[in-house]
Amino acid sequence: MTKLAIGINLDRCIGCHTCANACKMQNNVPDGMLWNRVITEGCDAIDGAVGEYPNLTRTYVPLACQHCENPEFVKVCPTGASHKLEDGTVQIDKSKCIGCQFCAMACPYGVRYLNEEERVVEKCTLCEQQIAQGDLPQCVKNCVGMAKWFGDADGDIRAFKGVRGETIGSFCEEFSDSDVHHLPDVGNRPSFLYILRDHTWKGEE
């Protein structure tokens, strides 16, 4: 069964926020909302770096809807507006959404937002209008660091494709299965994959 997802090579993410801005423009996301944002590790530090000189690191983590295999917010949606498709993506039918925000409260990653003007909840759709035509999600197409890739999470992440047609396995430095991570799983089984080498992943414990 297909489970479309994005694979993110954190060793290549430079924190430029181009993915977030491309998403915002493509999907006409209102001011004050981001469907796709970039978190900086250690952002509470003055310079945003982690560690002590000369051993400093800075890691960026792009964060959006994880298009989970078992999304909790689908269960709590009283109208069926939140639903899962056969391609593994989780979508919102705005015509059914009543803006109750139960889904936003049930999402463990805080990536659903109330559109105040339309009074409906919105989130990343994985650019369903583009992937339906065989194209890539906008954030993948515009990733200047070639950190974002697109493919089937039920397959091999090394086969995920990028904007120039390469696969992540042929383009990026070699990585092991132990370098591939997910955000914390609270029973929802997030689909997005994160590659991080030679750095402690603080997400699955």
Side-chain angles (χ1 to χ4, degrees):
M1 177 177 162
T2 303
K3 187 164 65 174
L4 296 177
I6 290 176
I8 306 170
N9 182 2
L10 297 181
D11 295 301
R12 292 193 60 89
C13 180
I14 59 174
C16 66
H17 296 259
T18 301
C19 59
N21 291 320
C23 167
K24 192 173 182 69
M25 289 186 289
Q26 175 68 20
N27 296 290
N28 196 28
V29 179
D31 289 344
M33 290 173 55
L34 284 173
W35 290 3
N36 185 345
R37 65 185 192 273
V38 181
I39 298 172
T40 305
E41 179 189 24
C43 61
D44 56 340
I46 294 174
D47 62 359
V50 174
E52 294 183 13
Y53 179 83
N55 301 309
L56 297 171
T57 63
R58 179 180 290 176
T59 302
Y60 304 99
V61 180
L63 180 64
C65 174
Q66 301 291 297
H67 293 273
C68 301
E69 186 174 330
N70 185 33
E72 191 64 31
F73 53 75
V74 170
K75 300 175 187 176
V76 302
C77 179
T79 65
S82 291
H83 59 283
K84 192 167 178 62
L85 301 183
E86 289 185 3
D87 63 7
T89 63
V90 181
Q91 306 295 344
I92 301 172
D93 183 342
K94 287 187 177 183
S95 68
K96 295 181 179 179
C97 180
I98 58 175
C100 67
Q101 300 182 73
F102 287 170
C103 59
M105 290 181 274
C107 174
Y109 311 117
V111 291
R112 288 184 156 229
Y113 310 92
L114 178 67
N115 183 323
E116 296 283 357
E117 185 175 324
E118 297 183 28
R119 299 304 299 175
V120 295
V121 175
E122 298 179 334
K123 68 171 192 68
C124 161
T125 65
L126 214 55
C127 289
E128 62 172 335
Q129 73 282 6
Q130 293 179 199
I131 63 177
Q133 299 176 46
D135 204 352
L136 297 170
Q138 198 71 8
C139 64
V140 176
K141 289 177 69 173
N142 287 274
C143 180
V144 297
M146 296 288 285
K148 285 195 165 188
W149 304 77
F150 181 65
D152 184 353
D154 277 343
D156 186 350
I157 186 176
R158 292 165 181 80
F160 277 38
K161 292 186 177 179
V163 67
R164 297 190 308 204
E166 302 103 329
T167 63
I168 192 171
S170 65
F171 180 84
C172 296
E173 292 181 21
E174 187 176 343
F175 58 89
S176 66
D177 290 343
S178 63
D179 294 324
V180 181
H181 309 276
H182 292 89
L183 291 186
D185 184 356
V186 292
N188 49 306
R189 300 194 66 185
S191 295
F192 281 24
L193 302 163
Y194 293 85
I195 300 168
L196 185 64
R197 308 172 189 80
D198 303 320
H199 199 82
T200 301
W201 177 260
K202 300 177 181 178
E204 289 168 311
E205 66 274 6

